[in-house]
Amino acid sequence: MTAPTLSAARSSAELIRAEEPVLAHNYHPLPVVVARAEGTWVEDVEGRRYLDMLAGYSALNFGHRHPALIEAAHHQLDQLTLTSRAFHNDRLAGFAEALAELTGQEMVLPMNTGAEAVESGVKVARKWAYEVKGVPADRATIVVAAGNFHGRTTTIVSFSTDESARAGFGPFTPGFRIVPYNDLGALEAAVDETTAAVLIEPIQGEAGVIIPDDGYLRGVRALTDRAGCLFIADEIQSGLGRTGTTLAVEHESVVPDVLLLGKALGGGIVPVSAVVARREVLGVLGPGEHGSTFGGNPLAAAVGSAVVDLLRTGEFQRRAAELGVVLRDSLKALVGRGVVGFRSRGLWAGVDVDPAIGTGREISERLMREGVLVKDTHGSTIRLAPPLTITEEELRGALGSVEKVLSGIG
Ligand SMILES: *Cc1c(COP(=O)(O)O)cnc(C)c1O
């Protein structure tokens, strides 16, 4: 196979310039143009190698092109790629069974992107409220947390507290109440007989890896049980091994009513997301009431099944937990030496850099020049979320680069 000569002939700088007039400016990427990748490493157009410490915002938990996932995808490409749900396909039942078993739930609603899983969860919760709980028509409310990130659709940005995600996109969808994160009192005050669900991230990723106090998730579970509403956990970024357990809610031994999964579920190959819940909840959907042309397609189901197979071994959760200790200890040693504070769980950290050293963006650019790719979240916070396949040596190398950049040598 020959690579398309046009793109092969263009340098990174030329490709970045070529994007400017033709691509919507909804992202502000680091100036690196990736052309190839394997495992924890990516390579740019000029052949420079970088350690990927972002892992596609956790969509690449198993690294780039994990052999088992690529094999599953290749095999499926040679059999069947799409039927639409107008017909059954031979891969979907197995995927749904495996995912339900992995998560300890009963039913699966397959979708594609994370935002679609959130939208679907909102619809299911509302329908459940009317049909099971008995909330009067069109009165259902969903309580969410300030600082949330659940995606980019018009309904989802309706309950965002990030002005840049909302400004210019109204009118917004009603029916959401926003309370401070990690505040059970405020949550209790916001929940009433109209409440269909409480929707939260067990750890707020985009907000800067904000970890709630111990007991918060148990408190949300107890409160939603008392109020007779659903607890929806958005585990799209926190789930599937990232924090050292299959799900982040396991750290508090909590079982939500509804789980939203995405990102790593597609193995970094195709978008795969899902709403996973008990039969009593997802059973409210009848034929024709919700759908997606691509949701549950055989290629997605084959890759998703292979992802579940990897997680069933427990190896990746174990690696995240063990290397998470290395990550935490290394970051601890940097506090007061360029780091003003950090939060971490498993292989996931939000690192607040001394603003005097640079913005998160500037630190990310300096790290890029050191061969380490990370991304800033807000202000002077950078997020570290390497593939769970990273070796201890690679992790220590990346943290060495962070130390170098923060000490001003880089
Ligand atoms: C990324 C993310 C989403 C949205 O997923 P997309 O696939 O980008 O639509 C939703 N919730 C959380 C917690 C996320 O991190």
Side-chain angles (χ1 to χ4, degrees), residues 234-257:
D234 181 347
E235 292 252 16
I236 289 166
Q237 194 165 159
S238 59
L240 308 182
R242 173 60 53 196
T243 65
T245 48
T246 302
L247 301 170
V249 288
E250 288 173 47
H251 290 279
E252 289 202 27
S253 308
V254 160
V255 181
D257 300 297

PDB file of all heavy atoms in Angstrom, residues 234-257:
ATOM      1  N   ASP A 234     -21.957   9.117  35.298  1.00  0.00           N
ATOM      2  CA  ASP A 234     -21.281   9.291  34.018  1.00  0.00           C
ATOM      3  C   ASP A 234     -19.838   8.826  34.194  1.00  0.00           C
ATOM      4  O   ASP A 234     -19.003   9.546  34.723  1.00  0.00           O
ATOM      5  CB  ASP A 234     -21.346  10.758  33.571  1.00  0.00           C
ATOM      6  CG  ASP A 234     -20.661  10.979  32.214  1.00  0.00           C
ATOM      7  OD1 ASP A 234     -19.939  10.072  31.750  1.00  0.00           O
ATOM      8  OD2 ASP A 234     -20.851  12.066  31.629  1.00  0.00           O
ATOM      9  N   GLU A 235     -19.583   7.590  33.749  1.00  0.00           N
ATOM     10  CA  GLU A 235     -18.243   6.982  33.867  1.00  0.00           C
ATOM     11  C   GLU A 235     -17.544   6.954  32.510  1.00  0.00           C
ATOM     12  O   GLU A 235     -16.682   6.117  32.261  1.00  0.00           O
ATOM     13  CB  GLU A 235     -18.364   5.564  34.442  1.00  0.00           C
ATOM     14  CG  GLU A 235     -18.825   5.521  35.888  1.00  0.00           C
ATOM     15  CD  GLU A 235     -17.694   5.121  36.859  1.00  0.00           C
ATOM     16  OE1 GLU A 235     -16.507   5.170  36.468  1.00  0.00           O
ATOM     17  OE2 GLU A 235     -18.033   4.757  37.998  1.00  0.00           O
ATOM     18  N   ILE A 236     -17.946   7.885  31.637  1.00  0.00           N
ATOM     19  CA  ILE A 236     -17.404   7.888  30.281  1.00  0.00           C
ATOM     20  C   ILE A 236     -15.884   8.090  30.291  1.00  0.00           C
ATOM     21  O   ILE A 236     -15.165   7.486  29.513  1.00  0.00           O
ATOM     22  CB  ILE A 236     -18.143   8.945  29.418  1.00  0.00           C
ATOM     23  CG1 ILE A 236     -19.571   8.458  29.150  1.00  0.00           C
ATOM     24  CG2 ILE A 236     -17.397   9.228  28.118  1.00  0.00           C
ATOM     25  CD1 ILE A 236     -20.517   9.516  28.608  1.00  0.00           C
ATOM     26  N   GLN A 237     -15.398   8.921  31.222  1.00  0.00           N
ATOM     27  CA  GLN A 237     -13.950   9.135  31.312  1.00  0.00           C
ATOM     28  C   GLN A 237     -13.334   8.380  32.492  1.00  0.00           C
ATOM     29  O   GLN A 237     -12.202   7.916  32.430  1.00  0.00           O
ATOM     30  CB  GLN A 237     -13.631  10.632  31.429  1.00  0.00           C
ATOM     31  CG  GLN A 237     -12.174  10.955  31.195  1.00  0.00           C
ATOM     32  CD  GLN A 237     -11.884  12.427  30.937  1.00  0.00           C
ATOM     33  OE1 GLN A 237     -10.772  12.877  31.103  1.00  0.00           O
ATOM     34  NE2 GLN A 237     -12.869  13.208  30.517  1.00  0.00           N
ATOM     35  N   SER A 238     -14.070   8.256  33.588  1.00  0.00           N
ATOM     36  CA  SER A 238     -13.522   7.650  34.808  1.00  0.00           C
ATOM     37  C   SER A 238     -13.555   6.127  34.772  1.00  0.00           C
ATOM     38  O   SER A 238     -12.820   5.468  35.514  1.00  0.00           O
ATOM     39  CB  SER A 238     -14.309   8.137  36.027  1.00  0.00           C
ATOM     40  OG  SER A 238     -15.688   7.807  35.920  1.00  0.00           O
ATOM     41  N   GLY A 239     -14.407   5.570  33.918  1.00  0.00           N
ATOM     42  CA  GLY A 239     -14.626   4.128  33.933  1.00  0.00           C
ATOM     43  C   GLY A 239     -13.642   3.329  33.100  1.00  0.00           C
ATOM     44  O   GLY A 239     -12.751   3.873  32.453  1.00  0.00           O
ATOM     45  N   LEU A 240     -13.814   2.017  33.126  1.00  0.00           N
ATOM     46  CA  LEU A 240     -13.068   1.071  32.307  1.00  0.00           C
ATOM     47  C   LEU A 240     -11.572   1.080  32.605  1.00  0.00           C
ATOM     48  O   LEU A 240     -10.739   1.116  31.689  1.00  0.00           O
ATOM     49  CB  LEU A 240     -13.377   1.302  30.817  1.00  0.00           C
ATOM     50  CG  LEU A 240     -14.889   1.317  30.478  1.00  0.00           C
ATOM     51  CD1 LEU A 240     -15.115   1.490  28.985  1.00  0.00           C
ATOM     52  CD2 LEU A 240     -15.589   0.055  30.976  1.00  0.00           C
ATOM     53  N   GLY A 241     -11.265   1.033  33.899  1.00  0.00           N
ATOM     54  CA  GLY A 241      -9.898   0.778  34.345  1.00  0.00           C
ATOM     55  C   GLY A 241      -9.091   1.970  34.781  1.00  0.00           C
ATOM     56  O   GLY A 241      -8.120   1.835  35.534  1.00  0.00           O
ATOM     57  N   ARG A 242      -9.448   3.147  34.350  1.00  0.00           N
ATOM     58  CA  ARG A 242      -8.641   4.348  34.552  1.00  0.00           C
ATOM     59  C   ARG A 242      -8.203   4.565  36.012  1.00  0.00           C
ATOM     60  O   ARG A 242      -7.083   4.952  36.294  1.00  0.00           O
ATOM     61  CB  ARG A 242      -9.442   5.565  34.019  1.00  0.00           C
ATOM     62  CG  ARG A 242      -8.896   6.945  34.264  1.00  0.00           C
ATOM     63  CD  ARG A 242      -7.538   7.206  33.691  1.00  0.00           C
ATOM     64  NE  ARG A 242      -7.376   6.910  32.282  1.00  0.00           N
ATOM     65  CZ  ARG A 242      -6.154   6.795  31.703  1.00  0.00           C
ATOM     66  NH1 ARG A 242      -5.050   6.967  32.399  1.00  0.00           N
ATOM     67  NH2 ARG A 242      -6.065   6.500  30.408  1.00  0.00           N
ATOM     68  N   THR A 243      -9.113   4.355  36.947  1.00  0.00           N
ATOM     69  CA  THR A 243      -8.815   4.713  38.342  1.00  0.00           C
ATOM     70  C   THR A 243      -8.300   3.537  39.175  1.00  0.00           C
ATOM     71  O   THR A 243      -8.143   3.652  40.384  1.00  0.00           O
ATOM     72  CB  THR A 243     -10.064   5.293  39.047  1.00  0.00           C
ATOM     73  OG1 THR A 243     -11.057   4.248  39.136  1.00  0.00           O
ATOM     74  CG2 THR A 243     -10.636   6.479  38.299  1.00  0.00           C
ATOM     75  N   GLY A 244      -8.053   2.393  38.522  1.00  0.00           N
ATOM     76  CA  GLY A 244      -7.558   1.234  39.267  1.00  0.00           C
ATOM     77  C   GLY A 244      -8.638   0.211  39.557  1.00  0.00           C
ATOM     78  O   GLY A 244      -8.370  -0.855  40.109  1.00  0.00           O
ATOM     79  N   THR A 245      -9.869   0.536  39.198  1.00  0.00           N
ATOM     80  CA  THR A 245     -10.986  -0.399  39.287  1.00  0.00           C
ATOM     81  C   THR A 245     -11.748  -0.303  37.965  1.00  0.00           C
ATOM     82  O   THR A 245     -11.551   0.652  37.207  1.00  0.00           O
ATOM     83  CB  THR A 245     -11.952  -0.034  40.443  1.00  0.00           C
ATOM     84  OG1 THR A 245     -12.249   1.366  40.351  1.00  0.00           O
ATOM     85  CG2 THR A 245     -11.334  -0.330  41.807  1.00  0.00           C
ATOM     86  N   THR A 246     -12.615  -1.274  37.698  1.00  0.00           N
ATOM     87  CA  THR A 246     -13.355  -1.221  36.432  1.00  0.00           C
ATOM     88  C   THR A 246     -14.155   0.075  36.359  1.00  0.00           C
ATOM     89  O   THR A 246     -14.133   0.781  35.357  1.00  0.00           O
ATOM     90  CB  THR A 246     -14.294  -2.439  36.303  1.00  0.00           C
ATOM     91  OG1 THR A 246     -13.491  -3.620  36.391  1.00  0.00           O
ATOM     92  CG2 THR A 246     -15.033  -2.431  34.982  1.00  0.00           C
ATOM     93  N   LEU A 247     -14.836   0.399  37.470  1.00  0.00           N
ATOM     94  CA  LEU A 247     -15.610   1.641  37.549  1.00  0.00           C
ATOM     95  C   LEU A 247     -15.097   2.475  38.723  1.00  0.00           C
ATOM     96  O   LEU A 247     -14.697   1.922  39.754  1.00  0.00           O
ATOM     97  CB  LEU A 247     -17.099   1.324  37.763  1.00  0.00           C
ATOM     98  CG  LEU A 247     -17.766   0.473  36.683  1.00  0.00           C
ATOM     99  CD1 LEU A 247     -19.150   0.025  37.140  1.00  0.00           C
ATOM    100  CD2 LEU A 247     -17.867   1.253  35.375  1.00  0.00           C
ATOM    101  N   ALA A 248     -15.170   3.787  38.588  1.00  0.00           N
ATOM    102  CA  ALA A 248     -14.704   4.658  39.680  1.00  0.00           C
ATOM    103  C   ALA A 248     -15.622   4.554  40.903  1.00  0.00           C
ATOM    104  O   ALA A 248     -15.166   4.746  42.032  1.00  0.00           O
ATOM    105  CB  ALA A 248     -14.617   6.105  39.199  1.00  0.00           C
ATOM    106  N   VAL A 249     -16.906   4.243  40.695  1.00  0.00           N
ATOM    107  CA  VAL A 249     -17.827   4.135  41.839  1.00  0.00           C
ATOM    108  C   VAL A 249     -17.453   2.978  42.770  1.00  0.00           C
ATOM    109  O   VAL A 249     -17.871   2.952  43.921  1.00  0.00           O
ATOM    110  CB  VAL A 249     -19.305   3.963  41.394  1.00  0.00           C
ATOM    111  CG1 VAL A 249     -19.867   5.256  40.825  1.00  0.00           C
ATOM    112  CG2 VAL A 249     -19.449   2.819  40.398  1.00  0.00           C
ATOM    113  N   GLU A 250     -16.661   2.031  42.260  1.00  0.00           N
ATOM    114  CA  GLU A 250     -16.254   0.892  43.101  1.00  0.00           C
ATOM    115  C   GLU A 250     -15.397   1.326  44.277  1.00  0.00           C
ATOM    116  O   GLU A 250     -15.325   0.613  45.280  1.00  0.00           O
ATOM    117  CB  GLU A 250     -15.490  -0.147  42.262  1.00  0.00           C
ATOM    118  CG  GLU A 250     -16.359  -0.923  41.298  1.00  0.00           C
ATOM    119  CD  GLU A 250     -15.523  -1.803  40.378  1.00  0.00           C
ATOM    120  OE1 GLU A 250     -14.628  -2.515  40.876  1.00  0.00           O
ATOM    121  OE2 GLU A 250     -15.756  -1.749  39.164  1.00  0.00           O
ATOM    122  N   HIS A 251     -14.738   2.475  44.172  1.00  0.00           N
ATOM    123  CA  HIS A 251     -13.915   2.953  45.292  1.00  0.00           C
ATOM    124  C   HIS A 251     -14.760   3.183  46.536  1.00  0.00           C
ATOM    125  O   HIS A 251     -14.253   3.205  47.644  1.00  0.00           O
ATOM    126  CB  HIS A 251     -13.159   4.235  44.908  1.00  0.00           C
ATOM    127  CG  HIS A 251     -12.066   3.980  43.910  1.00  0.00           C
ATOM    128  ND1 HIS A 251     -10.825   3.494  44.261  1.00  0.00           N
ATOM    129  CD2 HIS A 251     -12.047   4.107  42.563  1.00  0.00           C
ATOM    130  CE1 HIS A 251     -10.087   3.336  43.172  1.00  0.00           C
ATOM    131  NE2 HIS A 251     -10.803   3.705  42.133  1.00  0.00           N
ATOM    132  N   GLU A 252     -16.069   3.412  46.334  1.00  0.00           N
ATOM    133  CA  GLU A 252     -16.968   3.566  47.485  1.00  0.00           C
ATOM    134  C   GLU A 252     -17.992   2.436  47.530  1.00  0.00           C
ATOM    135  O   GLU A 252     -19.001   2.549  48.219  1.00  0.00           O
ATOM    136  CB  GLU A 252     -17.661   4.931  47.441  1.00  0.00           C
ATOM    137  CG  GLU A 252     -16.696   6.075  47.738  1.00  0.00           C
ATOM    138  CD  GLU A 252     -17.396   7.328  48.222  1.00  0.00           C
ATOM    139  OE1 GLU A 252     -18.494   7.233  48.807  1.00  0.00           O
ATOM    140  OE2 GLU A 252     -16.840   8.414  47.995  1.00  0.00           O
ATOM    141  N   SER A 253     -17.718   1.358  46.802  1.00  0.00           N
ATOM    142  CA  SER A 253     -18.616   0.196  46.767  1.00  0.00           C
ATOM    143  C   SER A 253     -20.055   0.588  46.484  1.00  0.00           C
ATOM    144  O   SER A 253     -20.989   0.072  47.094  1.00  0.00           O
ATOM    145  CB  SER A 253     -18.556  -0.569  48.099  1.00  0.00           C
ATOM    146  OG  SER A 253     -17.232  -0.856  48.426  1.00  0.00           O
ATOM    147  N   VAL A 254     -20.218   1.511  45.558  1.00  0.00           N
ATOM    148  CA  VAL A 254     -21.553   2.011  45.230  1.00  0.00           C
ATOM    149  C   VAL A 254     -21.992   1.451  43.880  1.00  0.00           C
ATOM    150  O   VAL A 254     -21.188   1.343  42.953  1.00  0.00           O
ATOM    151  CB  VAL A 254     -21.525   3.565  45.183  1.00  0.00           C
ATOM    152  CG1 VAL A 254     -22.690   4.113  44.395  1.00  0.00           C
ATOM    153  CG2 VAL A 254     -21.513   4.124  46.592  1.00  0.00           C
ATOM    154  N   VAL A 255     -23.253   1.049  43.769  1.00  0.00           N
ATOM    155  CA  VAL A 255     -23.810   0.597  42.494  1.00  0.00           C
ATOM    156  C   VAL A 255     -24.885   1.594  42.060  1.00  0.00           C
ATOM    157  O   VAL A 255     -25.954   1.662  42.667  1.00  0.00           O
ATOM    158  CB  VAL A 255     -24.425  -0.817  42.607  1.00  0.00           C
ATOM    159  CG1 VAL A 255     -24.977  -1.272  41.261  1.00  0.00           C
ATOM    160  CG2 VAL A 255     -23.383  -1.812  43.120  1.00  0.00           C
ATOM    161  N   PRO A 256     -24.609   2.394  41.028  1.00  0.00           N
ATOM    162  CA  PRO A 256     -25.619   3.339  40.535  1.00  0.00           C
ATOM    163  C   PRO A 256     -26.742   2.598  39.811  1.00  0.00           C
ATOM    164  O   PRO A 256     -26.599   1.431  39.469  1.00  0.00           O
ATOM    165  CB  PRO A 256     -24.837   4.220  39.559  1.00  0.00           C
ATOM    166  CG  PRO A 256     -23.399   3.864  39.741  1.00  0.00           C
ATOM    167  CD  PRO A 256     -23.355   2.474  40.287  1.00  0.00           C
ATOM    168  N   ASP A 257     -27.853   3.310  39.563  1.00  0.00           N
ATOM    169  CA  ASP A 257     -28.955   2.708  38.806  1.00  0.00           C
ATOM    170  C   ASP A 257     -28.650   2.681  37.323  1.00  0.00           C
ATOM    171  O   ASP A 257     -29.123   1.806  36.605  1.00  0.00           O
ATOM    172  CB  ASP A 257     -30.237   3.518  39.028  1.00  0.00           C
ATOM    173  CG  ASP A 257     -30.604   3.548  40.494  1.00  0.00           C
ATOM    174  OD1 ASP A 257     -30.871   2.468  41.050  1.00  0.00           O
ATOM    175  OD2 ASP A 257     -30.569   4.639  41.092  1.00  0.00           O
TER     176      ASP A 257
END
